[in-house]
Amino acid sequence: MPLGPPPHGALRGDVVAGITVAAYLVPQVLAYSGLARVPPAAGLWAAFVALAVYFLLGSSPQLSVGPESTTALMTGAALATLAIPGASAQDTAAVLALAVGAVCLLAWAGGLGFLADLLSKPVLVGYMAGIAGLMVLSQAARASGTDVPDASVLAQTWWLVQHPAQAHGPTVLVFAGTLVLLLLGARLWPTGPVPLLGMLLATLAVAAAGLSDDGVAVVGTLPFALPSIGLPPVSSLGSYVGSWALLTTALAIAVVGFTDNVLTARAFGDRHGDRVDARRELLALGAANVAAGMVHGFPVSSSGSRTAIVDAVGGRSRWAGLSTLGAALVLVLALRPVLARFPDAALAGVVVYAGLRLIDVAEFVRIARYRRTELAIALATTAGVLALGVLEGVLVAISLSLVDVIGRVARPHDAIEGLVPDLAGMHDVDDHAGAVVVPGLLVYRYDAPLFFANADNFLTRVREAVAAYGPQWVLLNTEAIGEVDFTGAVALETLRAELEAEGVVLALARLKQDQRDALEPSGLLDRIGAEHIFPTLPTALEGYRAATGQP
């Protein structure tokens, strides 16, 4: 996508979108920095450099990049368990960002962007819902003002359920009030800077009521100097390189981050006819994470909620992202003293609000109406993300998707074809009440690639049809087969030999060149004979009639 400025009217929409998203981004990034266990300034600088890099390298006109819930959660979980000698948590987060960037850049160089094609729409919908659930549950401690023991998100939530008396009343009140205000504000002013206004009102309320003296925690002093650019201390680099846990976490975050980028970008790109280049997204994500690591930030990806705001307000190009960067810088510099007084519980409300907006109930309903197995995949993704973790949940969902595909391809639709009065060609006899099978000719179509998973099913179905019709010829219409592997070729030879033993001819129609190339080394085509291989069904019908004397 070219970097030149969009038309004047479009640019105005991009600027408005950038300002609106900035008002949402700043409190959100402060909240996500808490999730990632790093100082707020680290999250802000990670956001700034990620926006700048994506403006230069990204392929989506609307995608909003920077700190987001998933990578923040995974970073926080990693920092809770990783212990790198001589390294601070922020240094470890920065190295994690560099490692994520390196993984993405290696995948880009290796042309692995095609892996995005394994991610279906039900996986996206279920994934978003699972992330939303994790976002909501992860705020249990901040929303209640409780010192919850370090554990998984589900374990922390369960601990709080068992110890409700530990909750701090004023903190819960601030959280609930902020969340209600955000939900009402979003309904009344869908395109407004609701999160920022909600945070400001919560800050004013806490200050006016003196709730900070009653134990309601606030962000505190927010240092915002120019970041120190470079690698973490050299003395600890050897420990990082040798940390298997850090490397596997980086791989997991890279997979999830890329998944999130591509799915979100494609979801919004489909609405406006924008093409998203998965390989280029790998490059942009890798460079953005390297930049985040170099300013001592933490891993970044894309935000579905912020991208939704860009779309709703009218942002239509990557200039909306650059506008977001400029507006966020002004916002932080002008309101830093106010940001320091933001209540932690109100930030928790922002995270929960963002999470709830990611759950697309209508899409679940639409999937259910289309196919129940795909609804099961969406729900399994949600459950997997909640119960097993982000990466494991996505891998479970992809596995289920592949099993579903293989199941459908292993038992595909097939057809016996015949002639239909006043309709050209040959058609499935089950689709037309007036269809007539040509006497002595069984025209059979198998609607899937012929490979190891369905070769036995293919033979069974053809044998049943032969037994039912007793033909002189079996004409295999190969137009829907497409691909034949070695097991499929063996099945075809088995069928040919069985039919020959019964005095039945096997003929092929509409054989593609790729199929010829695959079958040629086996000698099968020679045994069938060139006189029994036809380019079309009409020529095959003529050949059958000429060979058998049928009218």
Side-chain angles (χ1 to χ4, degrees), residues 450-526:
L450 185 56
F451 69 124
F452 66 90
N454 61 21
D456 188 63
N457 174 259
F458 167 78
L459 283 173
T460 299
R461 299 291 292 157
V462 177
R463 287 164 180 161
E464 291 173 351
V466 169
Y469 287 90
Q472 295 175 264
W473 277 34
V474 172
L475 176 62
L476 181 61
N477 180 357
T478 66
E479 63 176 325
I481 290 180
E483 176 68 26
V484 181
D485 73 355
F486 180 76
T487 307
V490 171
L492 287 174
E493 172 58 27
T494 300
L495 175 64
R496 186 204 64 79
E498 289 181 359
L499 293 175
E500 183 180 57
E502 297 176 10
V504 178
V505 172
L506 174 63
L508 306 178
R510 307 197 68 173
L511 192 68
K512 301 178 181 66
Q513 188 59 47
D514 287 346
Q515 296 168 326
R516 286 181 178 272
D517 293 341
L519 294 173
E520 197 70 51
S522 69
L524 173 66
L525 299 183
D526 293 333

Side-chain angles (χ1 to χ4, degrees), residues 16-17 20-21 185-194 308-309 311-314 357:
V16 172
T20 305
V21 173
R187 179 174 290 274
L188 298 175
W189 193 10
T191 60
V194 173
I309 293 174
D311 182 69
V313 180
R357 288 171 63 95

